[in-house]
Amino acid sequence: LSSLKKFDEIKKANQAAAKKLVEDQLSSSSEDDDEDAEVKQGKILDKTFTIYTSQTDGDASELERTRQYMNEAFQSGAMTCLICIASVKRNQAVWSCCGCFCIFHLVCIQKWAKDSLFLVSSPLTDDDFGKKDYPWPCPKCRFEYKRSETPSRYYCYCGKVENPAVDPWLVPHSCGQICEREFKPSCGHKCLLLCHPGPCPPCPKMVTIACHCKKAKPVPRRCSAKEWSCRLPCGRTLLCGQHACENPCHAGDCQPCPRVSKQRCICGRQTAERLCASPQWQCDQVCGKCLPCGNHTCEQVCHAGPCGDCPRSGKRSCPCGKTKFTLPCTEDVPTCGDSCDKVLECGIHKCSQRCHRGPCEICRQEVEKQCRCGKHTKRMPCHKPYLCETKCTKIRDCQKHQCRRKCCSGNCPPCDQVCGRTLGCRNHKCPSGCHRGSCNPCPETVDVKCSCGKTVIKVPCGRERTIKPPKCKQLCSRPPTCHHSTQEKHYCHFGRCPPCRQPCQKTLTCGHLCPVPCHDEALVKQTGLHQSAGPWEQPSEPAFIRTALPCPPCEVPVPV
């Protein structure tokens, strides 16, 4: 029984190891760089674009942006989660932003949304905790999502299939079905590509549509570029009602009339040349017409319609507003002699002077005033504010620094210091104000180049140390290290060039040319350099050096 139990344990361990090996092979977006993988990738892209290109007669010029997103999905290390700065693998649950189409791990974006909602709805920063549906932003483009839109399940790019299976003949995280998402801006048609990352391409359907001014005959055009102009004059009547639009056929409303004409002001006293689009204008002269009372003139600036009654006619109130008088418009209203009783600027006390003209004085009554923080009281004039010298010791919303503001009311302002913590990329520091929780991902990108620098890929900052350099198709341009004038053709690479395989072709002493392969940089084993101290010392590995070997003896047969 013990042997059978041990056998079952070993069997389970072997099955788990085999399963992990298969998952590791499928997890990489593109682990091998051989030509077979490139051919396979090309077939998958062609299969994805087949229905779209059938509508465009093979024209794939509008698919470049979508093709770039799909190439990144296949390329190893190109798809990086900006939250944890780790590669996104085939067998991991992901979520794609609908604003910037950036891909994140599902668990990472869930944690990000939870932390963001906690920060904006914390009781320390807002009294409406739990009452409002606060949004949370995308880590890259800051596109806002509602709390109810927090992802909880793993879907493919088009959103039809939950937990799509890993298929080596499909785009990673794709279900393989037709996308069928509506185009943006909406035109009534749906995307024809297979489930894909990134934005949908422009609509390829053909529609028959007229120009903007409707003068030309309708023509068939691609739906994504259906708006067109016949270039004939527009001819629509402008807002001035006198002239027609002379611009070529255009979309939207016509521009204001550009012509100039002589126009009178509102009161009709002055005439000036002005744009036809703005016929009404006001001069700077006072009206000056005699009012119905016959004693005063209108003091309004250039206006339309009648001037109205004299503002000093009818019943008028005294300065304090308690008594009304009926007097001729030529006489001023006297003061009533009663107390003013208007509320002063303090909002508590009233003016104790008699009815008077002009503004009331400042409040001079002495009251017991409490400082803003509520810790001290003092007797002083009502109009003077009272601030004590006590500094606030409360912790600000960053949970790190004290407020330190004199006589603080308790509503401490946000922390004004810079965060300065090192970001996840280990290259830059957080430039935001001091805050709680984790910092935003580093927004910078870094160029990873090949050896010659002609092939470049952009990766998020911090990934340049772990990602493999791009595969370059340029030939190596380094000078040869042997006696040959040119070296064998090979692609750009890091490290030393491969050994030269060209025939030596040096002239031997007999006059013949050396036919053996180049031996200017042959690896030679060094022996006898180190003597062991005794049998207990471990033997060291032999050292190899590159050195030029002499040409071998000539083997050309000659008569003797």
Side-chain angles (χ1 to χ4, degrees):
L1 291 175
S2 62
S3 60
L4 289 174
K5 185 177 180 181
K6 187 178 292 185
F7 176 77
D8 290 338
E9 291 178 355
I10 296 174
K11 181 180 178 181
K12 290 180 180 179
N14 289 340
Q15 288 177 349
K19 185 178 180 181
K20 184 179 179 183
L21 178 63
V22 173
E23 288 180 352
D24 290 342
Q25 288 179 350
L26 293 176
S27 64
S28 172
S29 297
S30 177
E31 291 295 336
D32 50 353
D33 294 333
D34 55 359
E35 295 181 359
D36 293 340
E38 293 182 2
V39 172
K40 179 179 177 182
Q41 178 179 336
K43 289 182 179 179
I44 296 175
L45 293 179
D46 292 340
K47 179 182 176 183
T48 306
F49 298 149
T50 299
I51 303 178
Y52 185 93
T53 52
S54 65
Q55 297 280 338
T56 61
D57 296 332
D59 183 15
S61 58
E62 301 287 351
L63 295 171
E64 289 304 320
R65 189 180 176 198
T66 308
R67 189 188 298 272
Q68 180 182 356
Y69 279 91
M70 297 182 68
N71 286 332
E72 289 180 355
F74 281 109
Q75 190 172 3
S76 175
M79 288 175 60
T80 304
C81 177
L82 293 181
I83 299 175
C84 64
I85 316 297
S87 297
V88 177
K89 299 181 179 179
R90 278 180 177 265
N91 58 344
Q92 292 176 328
V94 298
W95 175 83
S96 176
C97 174
C98 64
C100 61
F101 306 101
C102 188
I103 294 177
F104 306 91
H105 292 124
L106 183 63
V107 292
C108 293
I109 198 65
Q110 287 173 342
K111 185 177 183 300
W112 173 273
K114 182 179 178 182
D115 292 345
S116 300
L117 290 172
F118 174 77
L119 289 178
V120 299
S121 61
S122 173
L124 296 175
T125 58
D126 201 321
D127 296 331
D128 296 329
F129 177 68
K131 296 181 180 178
K132 294 183 180 179
D133 187 11
Y134 290 99
W136 57 272
C138 167
K140 184 178 180 181
C141 66
R142 316 308 293 177
F143 183 85
E144 290 188 345
Y145 293 88
K146 297 179 181 178
R147 184 196 295 266
S148 57
E149 294 176 338
T150 303
S152 58
R153 298 179 181 180
Y154 167 40
Y155 287 95
C156 62
Y157 297 113
C158 65
K160 294 179 182 176
V161 179
E162 183 180 351
N163 297 322
V166 178
D167 190 342
W169 286 100
L170 290 177
V171 180
H173 316 291
S174 170
C175 65
Q177 303 179 28
I178 298 179
C179 177
E180 291 186 344
R181 286 182 289 183
E182 290 190 359
F183 290 109
K184 295 182 180 179
S186 179
C187 63
H189 303 125
K190 296 182 179 180
C191 180
L192 301 175
L193 299 183
L194 300 185
C195 181
H196 62 90
C200 296
C203 181
K205 296 283 187 179
M206 297 297 291
V207 294
T208 302
I209 193 167
C211 62
H212 300 296
C213 66
K214 312 298 182 184
K215 291 183 178 179
K217 293 182 179 180
V219 296
R221 290 180 64 85
R222 189 72 56 80
C223 182
S224 58
K226 59 185 176 182
E227 302 291 336
W228 65 287
S229 171
C230 64
R231 311 308 298 173
L232 295 174
C234 175
R236 284 183 282 185
T237 304
L238 298 176
L239 295 177
C240 65
Q242 299 178 359
H243 308 106
C245 179
E246 298 178 353
N247 293 327
C249 174
H250 60 86
D253 296 331
C254 298
Q255 295 182 357
C257 183
R259 298 194 180 187
V260 177
S261 60
K262 288 186 177 182
Q263 300 169 8
R264 289 184 175 274
C265 64
I266 296 176
C267 67
R269 292 184 181 182
Q270 294 186 6
T271 304
E273 286 192 351
R274 293 178 55 81
L275 289 174
C276 192
S278 56
Q280 289 193 350
W281 63 286
Q282 194 176 29
C283 66
D284 55 356
Q285 292 187 8
V286 178
C287 177
K289 293 180 181 178
C290 188
L291 296 177
C293 66
N295 299 319
H296 302 97
T297 57
C298 179
E299 297 179 355
Q300 299 182 58
V301 178
C302 183
H303 66 90
C307 298
D309 296 330
C310 178
R312 296 168 63 91
S313 62
K315 289 186 176 183
R316 287 179 287 165
S317 300
C318 64
C320 70
K322 294 181 180 179
T323 307
K324 291 187 177 182
F325 298 90
T326 304
L327 299 172
C329 65
T330 54
E331 296 183 14
D332 293 330
V333 178
T335 56
C336 64
D338 199 353
S339 58
C340 178
D341 286 340
K342 289 182 180 178
V343 180
L344 299 175
E345 290 183 359
C346 65
I348 303 173
H349 306 107
K350 296 182 179 180
C351 180
S352 59
Q353 294 180 348
R354 291 188 179 277
C355 179
H356 62 89
R357 294 183 176 88
C360 299
E361 293 185 350
I362 57 177
C363 184
R364 300 184 181 277
Q365 295 192 34
E366 282 201 357
V367 293
E368 191 82 13
K369 299 198 75 172
Q370 193 176 36
C371 65
R372 189 166 57 183
C373 65
K375 294 182 179 180
H376 305 277
T377 57
K378 187 178 181 181
R379 194 161 187 83
M380 58 190 307
C382 184
H383 71 276
K384 290 186 177 180
Y386 177 38
L387 299 176
C388 67
E389 297 294 322
T390 305
K391 292 185 178 180
C392 181
T393 58
K394 285 187 177 181
I395 301 297
R396 293 191 176 182
D397 56 355
C398 65
Q399 298 296 311
K400 293 181 181 179
H401 305 106
Q402 288 184 339
C403 177
R404 306 300 296 168
R405 188 172 64 156
K406 288 185 178 181
C407 196
C408 181
S409 61
N411 186 18
C412 302
C415 186
D416 54 358
Q417 299 190 35
V418 179
C419 176
R421 285 184 291 182
T422 303
L423 298 175
C425 64
R426 304 296 179 188
N427 296 329
H428 303 98
K429 293 186 177 181
C430 180
S432 305
C434 190
H435 58 88
R436 287 183 296 167
S438 57
C439 301
N440 291 338
C442 182
E444 302 292 334
T445 56
V446 181
D447 292 340
V448 177
K449 301 181 180 180
C450 64
S451 179
C452 65
K454 294 182 179 178
T455 303
V456 183
I457 59 173
K458 289 186 178 293
V459 299
C461 182
R463 290 285 296 165
E464 68 274 7
R465 293 184 289 270
T466 57
I467 195 170
K468 293 193 298 184
K471 185 178 179 181
C472 183
K473 298 294 185 181
Q474 302 292 329
L475 294 176
C476 180
S477 58
R478 298 180 188 177
T481 55
C482 59
H483 67 279
H484 291 103
S485 59
T486 58
Q487 60 177 348
E488 292 179 302
K489 292 183 179 180
H490 59 279
Y491 291 124
C492 169
H493 62 90
F494 288 92
R496 296 178 62 91
C497 291
C500 180
R501 301 294 182 185
Q502 302 179 69
C504 177
Q505 297 295 307
K506 286 184 180 179
T507 305
L508 302 175
T509 55
C510 62
H512 295 110
L513 300 178
C514 179
V516 299
C518 180
H519 45 81
D520 285 354
E521 291 186 335
L523 285 175
V524 178
K525 180 179 178 182
Q526 285 187 319
T527 57
L529 294 179
H530 177 69
Q531 301 262 347
S532 59
W536 59 84
E537 186 176 350
Q538 293 291 333
S540 60
E541 294 183 359
F544 291 86
I545 61 171
R546 292 184 180 272
T547 184
L549 298 179
C551 295
C554 182
E555 296 183 358
V556 178
V558 293
V560 294

